[in-house]
Amino acid sequence: MASITPHGSRAEAVEGPEFDALIIGAGFSGLYQLHCLRDRLGLSAQVLEAAEGVGGTWYWNRYPGARCDSESHSYSYYFSDELLQEWEWSERYPQQPEIMRYLNWVADRLDLKRDIRFGRRVVSARYQEATNRWIVEAETGERFQARFLVTAVGCLSSANIPKIPGLESFTGEWYHTGQWPHEGVDFTGKRVGQVGTGSTGIQAAPVIAESAKHLTVFQRTANYSVPARNGPLTPEFLRWSKENSAELRELMHSTPNGHPFAISERSALSVPPEERQAIYEQAWETGGLRFRAAFRDLLVDKAANDTAAEFIKAKIREVVKDPETAAKLANIDHPFAAKRPPIDTDYFETFNRDNVALVDVRAEPIEAIMPNGIRTSRAEYALDVIVFATGFDAMTGPLLGIDIRGRNALSLRDVWHAGPRTYLGLGVAGFPNLFTITGPGSPSVLCNMPVAIEQHVEWVTNCIAYMRKRGYERIEPSAESADRWVDHVNEAANATLLPQAKHSWYLGANVPGKPRVFMPYAGGMARYRKICNEVAAKGYEGFELRP
Ligand code: N01
């Protein structure tokens, strides 16, 4: 499988087998990137994957209730009509096991697994200037080399386990939702403590409460949530989505967030209060992320946003019977959707159960974990199981978890010490031939992920094809273009209400010591795609290309 470039034989003994391209990660991005480079460009390409199977984020996130909040018919690869026509989703939002079946099916259909090396957690990647090769080392000690290195490591794959004193003394079981045991966890008869109320915690709590003896939810930041309104997909819907796949693709490419619905053109402030209320009621009934699309200005105008925020807070007070619990749940300190807005199935209703309690850890901070539970400043909570739904060291975590070194052994950790600096979220100055799929500075997590992924993978593929055609061997963003892009990313974020959520992982605020920088590109996917296309059309403007 090693490439037949004359280079290979000389370097192989020292630096391992050589390929044209190495891809790190076998999730949505890595699978498609392998298909593009191997099957479209005819390169020798290999994927190095830490897990024992494909799936990326979905391989690890097997917690109770794990489900995607993009609608199934849009959470699919759209590059292949055959794949689109053949696969049948069963529910409005796909559950984790169904997504795993889908990704395995795609990998098998495209015969990808033969070029994926599983069980290879990449620990370092070093650029060798003299040979223009990346030397990539796995935890197993094996080395691989390639001219191009594509990171497809995901944005939410580095688990954030809070350093609470005493965790090692806990005599019960504890789990992080993003590292869930494959065999599952039996909560029957157990007293469970769940720390965290983000998208994950909001999905997990109702399911855990069904089987646990008791569930205590430890909430630090109260969160909005909109009912998902999940349900089985009808044959009519499935037929419709297949017959209209071209139009759906176009729609997803035309919206700022890559979802298959348009954002209303009305302002929340342009309609009388009764009409606005009726529009929100209808959006609440429809459910899902579509709620955000009810008005065009929810993410840019605080007064408009307040109308949505108040509507949801009123719903929480209506659903939750105990007024004290309702008040804690509705005590939300940030604009609606300024943190990633969860969608749920019976989250707020769960607090009406006799076996569920809510602890506000802003009012009574967690001080320590004891052998038999969690101690806050006010009380001790006896627990058999602790579930950390505490999220991820997002976006930069998975990249900085690898010791990546560019020209002159320049360390990515040093270059990003004050926050990520990329050009288009696709490349880093000083790191030739490195492409970062859905890297910081690209829309990534603000977009329906497969749409963002396909755009990046195709851009990278076209870029490599261009280089081969013109005889270029190296590509690297200039420091000036990266500086300008970082400024533009900040400008785009500041034009929205997103940075107003001070506890958001978009800003790195959930990881103690992490630089507070708004990481994804908030200018919208459609605009971003246009910028990337223009850069390519101008001969990869802002990048330096060399033979
Ligand atoms: O993580 P989060 P998540 N003590 O960071 C709390 C995607 N996703 O796994 O807000 C006490 O959002 C933390 O509190 P605070 C989606 O993009 C998608 O839930 O930092 N609490 C917060 O409540 C999502 O946004 C789906 O104050 C602590 C929670 O833990 C992203 O993944 C499903 C704490 C973490 O929330 C991350 O979601 C699930 C501490 N020391 C996730 N540390 C889909 O449906 C943290 N917290 C596709």
Side-chain angles (χ1 to χ4, degrees):
M1 197 41 63
S3 102
I4 46 159
T5 55
H7 219 81
S9 48
R10 183 180 59 79
E12 182 147 345
V14 188
E15 308 292 11
E18 178 174 349
F19 303 94
D20 295 322
L22 283 165
I23 300 159
I24 309 176
F28 259 97
S29 318
L31 293 179
Y32 185 33
Q33 190 69 77
L34 173 61
H35 174 59
C36 284
L37 296 183
R38 188 192 70 182
D39 304 331
R40 289 196 195 150
L41 299 193
L43 302 189
S44 66
Q46 289 276 295
V47 174
L48 302 175
E49 165 58 58
E52 293 301 334
V54 303
T57 299
W58 295 105
Y59 180 91
W60 303 102
N61 281 268
R62 297 167 185 251
Y63 60 86
R67 189 184 285 287
C68 185
D69 56 11
S70 292
E71 296 184 28
S72 304
H73 68 294
S74 67
Y75 202 72
S76 305
Y77 288 115
Y78 264 72
F79 69 82
S80 155
D81 269 337
E82 273 174 36
L83 295 180
L84 270 177
Q85 298 303 325
E86 278 178 41
W87 181 259
E88 300 255 296
W89 292 107
S90 67
E91 292 179 285
R92 180 171 174 189
Y93 306 94
Q95 241 185 338
Q96 181 270 346
E98 192 169 15
I99 301 172
M100 285 294 286
R101 281 200 296 280
Y102 173 70
L103 290 173
N104 273 286
W105 173 77
V106 171
D108 291 337
R109 269 298 256 95
L110 302 177
D111 192 18
L112 298 175
K113 288 180 185 166
R114 69 183 155 91
D115 285 313
I116 305 174
R117 297 188 186 211
F118 295 107
R120 291 349 190 263
R121 179 175 293 284
V122 171
V123 290
S124 72
R126 193 159 46 84
Y127 176 72
Q128 210 172 58
E129 182 116 45
T131 59
N132 189 29
R133 294 291 182 277
W134 279 94
I135 314 299
V136 176
E137 190 167 338
E139 212 168 40
T140 54
E142 291 161 286
R143 286 182 180 179
F144 307 88
Q145 53 176 324
R147 178 168 319 148
F148 296 105
L149 176 63
V150 183
T151 59
V153 290
C155 297
L156 298 162
S157 51
S158 183
N160 171 39
I161 301 169
K163 292 186 178 57
I164 303 174
L167 179 57
E168 66 296 339
S169 73
F170 185 57
T171 52
E173 308 151 50
W174 68 267
Y175 306 95
H176 185 280
T177 48
Q179 297 174 344
W180 204 255
H182 284 206
E183 62 281 12
V185 177
D186 183 4
F187 295 106
T188 315
K190 306 243 171 88
R191 296 161 304 175
V192 183
Q194 177 188 301
V195 184
T197 54
S199 303
T200 301
I202 281 176
Q203 286 183 332
V207 184
I208 295 174
E210 275 172 23
S211 59
K213 182 173 169 202
H214 190 269
L215 171 67
T216 308
V217 176
F218 294 86
Q219 168 190 280
R220 186 164 70 181
T221 303
N223 217 339
Y224 300 95
S225 187
V226 172
R229 310 276 182 224
N230 187 38
L233 292 175
T234 61
E236 294 73 39
F237 179 85
L238 288 170
R239 198 168 45 247
W240 171 85
S241 65
K242 285 173 193 226
E243 282 171 6
N244 292 281
S245 60
E247 290 79 5
L248 282 165
R249 182 191 289 113
E250 206 168 305
L251 177 60
M252 293 192 286
H253 283 193
S254 71
T255 65
N257 51 31
H259 285 290
F261 49 83
I263 295 173
S264 165
E265 285 172 10
R266 349 163 249 236
S267 156
L269 306 175
S270 68
V271 291
E274 315 76 62
E275 190 183 334
R276 187 166 58 225
Q277 184 72 9
I279 290 168
Y280 281 138
E281 286 290 354
Q282 201 194 353
W284 188 261
E285 279 317 306
T286 304
L289 295 175
R290 287 169 190 259
F291 187 89
R292 251 185 322 183
F295 295 104
R296 69 169 153 76
D297 45 0
L298 295 184
L299 277 182
V300 291
D301 183 324
K302 180 67 169 53
N305 191 289
D306 285 346
T307 65
E310 282 314 316
F311 176 87
I312 299 175
K313 289 176 187 177
K315 284 286 182 199
I316 298 171
R317 289 189 282 262
E318 199 179 297
V319 170
V320 181
K321 296 200 179 107
D322 172 43
E324 208 181 307
T325 306
K328 285 180 197 164
L329 288 165
N331 185 19
I332 308 174
D333 65 356
H334 52 276
F336 166 64
K339 289 180 84 161
R340 176 68 141 60
I343 63 174
D344 69 276
T345 301
D346 294 339
Y347 176 64
F348 295 117
E349 289 81 351
T350 295
F351 293 93
N352 294 332
R353 295 176 66 114
D354 292 339
N355 69 334
V356 176
L358 179 71
V359 173
D360 174 2
V361 301
R362 283 269 174 86
E364 49 172 311
I366 296 175
E367 287 184 340
I369 294 180
M370 321 285 290
N372 67 339
I374 290 182
R375 191 185 78 218
T376 70
S377 60
R378 281 193 201 151
E380 285 183 17
Y381 299 88
L383 302 168
D384 304 307
V385 183
I386 301 175
V387 173
F388 290 106
T390 44
F392 303 90
D393 180 356
M395 305 201 72
T396 50
L399 288 166
L400 296 181
I402 302 169
D403 184 15
I404 301 180
R405 296 191 179 249
R407 275 189 290 108
N408 306 317
L410 186 67
S411 154
L412 189 66
R413 289 174 188 155
D414 289 341
V415 177
W416 286 7
H417 74 280
R421 301 189 72 76
T422 69
Y423 179 40
L424 301 171
L426 271 163
V428 186
F431 297 75
N433 296 350
L434 170 69
F435 296 103
T436 50
I437 302 297
T438 64
S442 74
S444 59
V445 291
L446 297 179
C447 181
N448 178 23
M449 284 306 291
V451 173
I453 286 168
E454 286 193 345
Q455 185 263 341
H456 260 194
V457 166
E458 285 160 14
W459 191 94
V460 169
T461 306
N462 292 338
C463 176
I464 293 177
Y466 174 92
M467 289 174 69
R468 282 158 58 88
K469 199 165 157 206
R470 309 266 172 138
Y472 291 120
E473 298 272 327
R474 296 165 209 245
I475 183 165
E476 178 188 338
S478 72
E480 298 73 40
S481 53
D483 287 348
R484 272 198 306 276
W485 185 251
V486 170
D487 289 345
H488 180 56
V489 170
N490 285 322
E491 201 178 81
N494 290 331
T496 72
L497 302 175
L498 295 170
Q500 289 192 20
K502 298 294 174 215
H503 309 287
S504 146
W505 59 258
Y506 293 154
L507 274 167
N510 61 329
V511 177
K514 190 166 172 171
R516 300 282 169 107
V517 174
F518 194 87
M519 295 180 287
Y521 175 62
M525 188 63 211
R527 179 172 165 203
Y528 175 79
R529 182 188 300 275
K530 191 161 169 273
I531 295 171
C532 289
N533 288 348
E534 282 167 9
V535 164
K538 290 180 186 162
Y540 294 89
E541 189 181 45
F543 288 90
E544 286 160 8
L545 287 146
R546 278 175 292 142

